[in-house]
Amino acid sequence: MTPLARLIADQIAKTGPISLAEYMALALGHPQHGYYCRRDPLGQAGDFTTAPEISQMFGEMIGLWLLSIWQSAGKPAPFRLVELGPGRGTLMADALRAARLDPGFAVAADLWLVETSPVLRAAQAERLPQAAWADTVTEVPTGPMLLVANEFFDALPVHQFLRSPEGWREVCVGLEDGHLTRGLSAPLPGPEDGEWREESPLADRIAEEIARRIATDGGAAMIVDYGYTTADRPPGPTLQALRNKAPADPLDTPGSADLTWLIDFDHLADRLSPLAAWRTTQGAFLASLGIGQRAAALARARPTEATTIADALERLTAPEHMGQLFKVLAALPHGQSPPAGFP
Ligand code: SAH
């Protein structure tokens, strides 16, 4: 048993089974042994790769989008430029470089990175020395805010419920012969639709805080994640573990694998009210912002990398790769025209 598995087992032995969300919070966020707190899991050699680590073009398109929102808002200065869960800081570094098209943007931007992992904070500081750090979005000073979150919400603790003839039961983590094992709580009252539910009160609270701030002080939020809308809602539960880019059992060796679930973008849009929300797929969003032209220009400038660039374009935009399963949501105060990149 790893030290973290032992710690979790001891806690369960003392106080009884814990919810999957409590388990996830420990497996990912435990200050000594949590997955994100111990190491940098990102990149080509890591457990999973994210869009900004695949190619600079991803962050560049986000940068152009942020710039267009800032310009149509009348170039507020200063404004809070906020990223939730910035990983290695790659997206933001690429976005700021692309936004140099208007030098005023970087001057006006007061950069805040919301990050709990000390290892990743250190990686971010290398790329973004001008940044300030916060543990939660609540700590970021008020004022107009442009916020980005890529693959952030899917790492937040989630509760899972299964419907049984007696009512909803929550998926719990307990102990059997000294091993962590799944169980079900006693029946709970709950809504009637569906067989499975996944709920993240933390994700809901963060979305509500973002909406409150942007509704009051102006700005926009861009949320990119692996997820679904009503049209492609999966039938079962979505929490999974990833180790060396392959699915693993979430209860096996806590702290050694990434845990991630699929975001319900309809629910997220609801939580972001009173903001207006637009949704599209990552493929459509990037294409509409001109990633194809950017790829062509990059390939002309670096002919020896042409194949790598074409490959990255394919991975980011093709429906069978990240183009369809990844969704992009933009949220802005009501009464504005649709932002760039959304139909
Ligand atoms: N956005 C990056 C990294 C995604 S991984 C990319 O696309 O490459 C998830 C990120 O969220 C990591 O940086 C992780 O440390 C951070 N994170 C996870 N839970 C968090 C929380 N509750 N508060 C702040 N950051 C968190």
Side-chain angles (χ1 to χ4, degrees), residues 25-26 34 52 62 73 115 133 142 144 146 167 172 176 218 220 222 255 292 297 299 310:
L26 290 166
I62 304 270
E115 175 61 66
W133 280 265
T142 54
L146 295 183
C172 293
E176 210 178 283
M222 145 123 327

Side-chain angles (χ1 to χ4, degrees), residues 36 42 48 50-53 83-88 91 114-117 120 124 135 150-152 154-156 202 206:
Y36 284 116
L42 291 154
F48 62 104
T50 57
E53 301 300 332
E83 184 171 357
L84 307 183
R88 293 175 170 171
L91 184 160
V114 177
E115 175 61 66
T116 39
S117 157
L120 290 172
Q124 292 153 20
D135 282 326
N150 184 61
E151 292 212 44
F152 168 76
D154 72 344
L156 299 177
L202 180 59
I206 295 173

Side-chain angles (χ1 to χ4, degrees), residues 2-343:
T2 57
L4 185 55
R6 159 94 8 247
L7 239 126
I8 295 174
D10 287 351
Q11 181 183 334
I12 294 171
K14 270 200 218 103
T15 58
I18 57 175
S19 69
L20 203 58
E22 282 173 84
Y23 171 80
M24 198 174 166
L26 290 166
L28 293 183
H30 185 277
Q32 276 107 55
H33 309 295
Y35 181 70
Y36 284 116
C37 298
R38 254 171 8 108
R39 58 161 105 194
D40 170 358
L42 291 154
Q44 307 289 345
D47 288 312
F48 62 104
T49 311
T50 57
E53 301 300 332
I54 290 176
S55 165
Q56 68 182 73
M57 297 186 287
F58 183 78
E60 288 171 350
M61 295 302 119
I62 304 270
L64 295 180
W65 188 85
L66 292 168
L67 180 59
S68 83
I69 298 285
W70 182 68
Q71 289 172 332
S72 38
K75 305 192 178 186
F79 71 95
R80 317 290 170 215
L81 179 58
V82 181
E83 184 171 357
L84 307 183
R88 293 175 170 171
T90 312
L91 184 160
M92 189 52 78
D94 292 335
L96 285 168
R97 196 182 53 253
R100 277 197 212 141
L101 278 177
D102 183 338
F105 182 86
V107 177
D110 175 29
L111 181 60
W112 283 85
L113 304 178
V114 177
E115 175 61 66
T116 39
S117 157
V119 179
L120 290 172
R121 276 193 185 198
Q124 292 153 20
E126 279 183 30
R127 291 196 183 163
L128 301 161
Q130 74 275 42
W133 280 265
D135 282 326
T136 65
V137 70
T138 326
E139 291 169 23
V140 176
T142 54
M145 176 169 90
L146 295 183
L147 177 140
V148 191
N150 184 61
E151 292 212 44
F152 168 76
F153 281 93
D154 72 344
L156 299 177
V158 70
H159 295 265
Q160 251 177 15
F161 302 90
L162 171 67
R163 192 153 71 156
S164 70
E166 301 77 37
W168 288 93
R169 292 170 182 260
E170 176 159 14
V171 178
C172 293
V173 181
L175 271 181
E176 210 178 283
D177 305 327
H179 290 285
L180 297 176
T181 166
R182 270 188 198 69
L184 290 171
S185 74
L188 311 157
E192 287 307 308
D193 62 313
E195 292 299 315
W196 283 93
R197 292 184 68 83
E198 282 173 329
E199 289 174 9
S200 175
L202 180 59
D204 288 356
R205 272 207 307 282
I206 295 173
E208 286 159 9
E209 170 71 5
I210 293 169
R212 202 181 54 73
R213 284 178 166 243
I214 294 175
T216 313
D217 294 339
M222 145 123 327
I223 295 166
V224 188
D225 230 308
Y226 196 32
Y228 56 89
T229 59
T230 324
D232 55 355
R233 173 185 295 274
T238 71
L239 179 79
Q240 62 162 350
L242 280 177
R243 188 181 295 120
N244 300 322
K245 301 194 171 66
D249 177 356
L251 298 197
D252 176 38
T253 336
S256 74
D258 188 34
L259 298 175
T260 156
W261 49 288
L262 299 189
I263 302 302
D264 176 345
F265 275 81
D266 293 327
H267 176 79
L268 184 60
D270 283 347
R271 300 270 61 86
L272 286 163
S273 96
L275 303 181
W278 287 265
R279 272 151 286 179
T280 187
T281 61
Q282 177 170 304
F285 175 75
L286 294 174
S288 142
L289 282 170
I291 197 172
Q293 292 88 314
R294 179 61 181 143
L298 271 179
R300 276 194 302 278
R302 306 181 199 156
T304 54
E305 291 169 36
T307 320
T308 318
I309 294 163
D311 179 54
L313 177 66
E314 172 87 3
R315 285 175 73 190
L316 292 174
T317 59
E320 66 275 27
H321 297 289
M322 298 177 84
Q324 182 76 35
L325 288 167
F326 277 76
K327 309 288 190 291
V328 185
L329 179 152
L332 284 86
H334 266 285
Q336 309 199 19
S337 40
F342 292 85

